[in-house]
Amino acid sequence: KAKAEGRNTARAFEPAMDAALAERRLLEGDLRHALARDELMLHYQPQVRSACGRLVGFEALVRWRHPTRGLVPPCAFIPLAEETGLIVPLGEWVLRAACREAAGWAHPLKIAVNLSPRQFQQADLPERVRTILAETGLPPDRLEIEITETVIINDMARALSVLRRLKALGLRIAMDDFGTGYSSLATLQAFPFDKIKIDRSFVSQLEQRPSAAVIVRAVLGLGRSLGIGVVAEGVETDGQMRFLAEEGCEEMQGYLFGKPQPVDQLAGLIARDAAWMRDAGENRMMAA
Ligand code: C2E
Ligand code: MG
Ligand code: MG
Ligand code: MG
């Protein structure tokens, strides 16, 4: 009887699986044309300095304006792009678009760009990045590349050499989603990270779970001991912000400070920050 039921269940699943596969193929086909059809766009999310709330820069986050599906979030196509290798041209488009955009800003804020494991496997990645920096005129020290632990554990020796070559260009490297993977103290020490981003899953639990607070405190301590800056991602409440500020977290990112937004909405934010800089400069000169 159980056997028959098992078969029935299997049969019941088949149409659903076929549908999922067909859906995937459709999406993949569309994704192949997304670049050429100019359907990708970037949203930018502010990153702020905890001490003064000032803007430090933005993280570029890709969106797909699908002709019939509307705005598709990255979780719905980045994994597919990664599997199919489409992430390589897609990622290069993201990097170029983000650098070009940032190069035109009224003052020198940072731009953070996510790089996927597959992009890291390209032997000529550092040359490609150098070319994009030269083309767009963005000073390398304004670019921060975010990678996850997956990039490293695949092939440590290779990852280390690529990271070193990237850093030699003068840019910064951040470890994204820290705490969700397998990174150890040894990894953090061996790799030339400039920054650790505490994963949102810990930040969002700060007020509910004592263990989340313990982990966040430990990561902040780790950053201090190793001389690596720490950013908290996914900060949504005043309570989370206060906890993080009191524990010495230097930078924050999250809906509390701003959601990822299209480029035409950044001008106001950047201008306000530029004005703040000017005023601060004048005050300094008057004081001198
Ligand atoms: P990530 O790099 O960790 O980016 C942060 C994600 O958290 C973004 O989701 C952002 O919108 C979201 N987020 C930020 N603050 C808050 C908050 O306060 N509350 C909540 N609930 N969410 C918040 P998004 O834009 O959907 O991106 C998801 C992931 O997709 C990114 O995670 C990144 O891994 C990947 N991704 C996005 N753009 C790119 C890209 O251009 N290239 C690559 N390789 N991956 C990308
Ligand atoms: Mg990121
Ligand atoms: Mg992240
Ligand atoms: Mg994340």
Side-chain angles (χ1 to χ4, degrees), residues 41-243:
M41 70 180 298
L42 294 180
H43 278 188
Y44 296 87
Q45 184 176 36
Q47 301 180 324
V48 303
R49 180 122 43 230
S50 307
C52 51
R54 288 217 24 231
L55 200 55
V56 177
F58 292 92
E59 178 174 2
L61 295 154
V62 70
R63 301 288 182 265
W64 180 11
R65 274 172 309 182
H66 190 279
T68 56
R69 293 166 199 260
L71 210 61
V72 185
C75 62
F77 67 94
I78 291 284
L80 184 63
E82 182 74 23
E83 280 168 45
T84 53
L86 286 168
I87 192 73
V88 169
L90 191 156
E92 201 158 315
W93 179 87
V94 168
L95 186 63
R96 186 174 284 110
C99 290
R100 184 176 295 135
E101 176 56 37
W105 288 341
H107 86 108
L109 295 163
K110 270 184 335 188
I111 180 74
V113 178
N114 295 283
L115 244 63
S116 82
R118 191 83 168 238
Q119 286 179 276
F120 248 76
Q121 284 165 14
Q122 300 171 277
D124 61 345
L125 178 69
E127 286 70 41
R128 283 167 185 260
V129 175
R130 186 160 44 86
T131 303
I132 289 173
L133 286 168
E135 259 175 42
T136 58
L138 185 77
D141 63 353
R142 290 181 51 200
L143 176 63
E144 190 163 276
I145 282 177
E146 297 192 1
I147 59 170
T148 56
E149 294 155 90
T150 329
V151 166
I152 287 169
I153 53 171
N154 285 347
D155 186 344
M156 292 237 183
R158 182 200 188 96
L160 187 57
S161 120
V162 174
L163 281 185
R164 286 203 177 121
R165 283 160 61 212
L166 283 173
K167 283 208 53 162
L169 299 175
L171 49 78
R172 275 184 270 257
I173 312 274
M175 167 164 277
D176 207 352
D177 304 337
F178 186 75
T180 57
Y182 303 95
S183 316
S184 61
L185 271 166
T187 326
L188 272 185
Q189 209 180 23
F191 287 80
F193 290 108
D194 300 285
K195 193 181 270 186
I196 307 170
K197 297 187 80 176
I198 307 180
D199 191 64
R200 174 158 63 87
S201 56
F202 304 110
V203 175
S204 66
Q205 295 293 311
L206 268 181
E207 291 158 297
Q208 288 85 44
R209 295 175 61 125
S211 62
V214 169
I215 290 171
V216 167
R217 235 184 238 122
V219 177
L220 288 167
L222 202 60
R224 266 193 297 277
S225 320
L226 294 172
I228 305 176
V230 178
V231 193
E233 61 176 28
V235 182
E236 292 185 354
T237 70
D238 281 318
Q240 292 162 0
M241 179 187 66
R242 269 199 303 275
F243 178 93

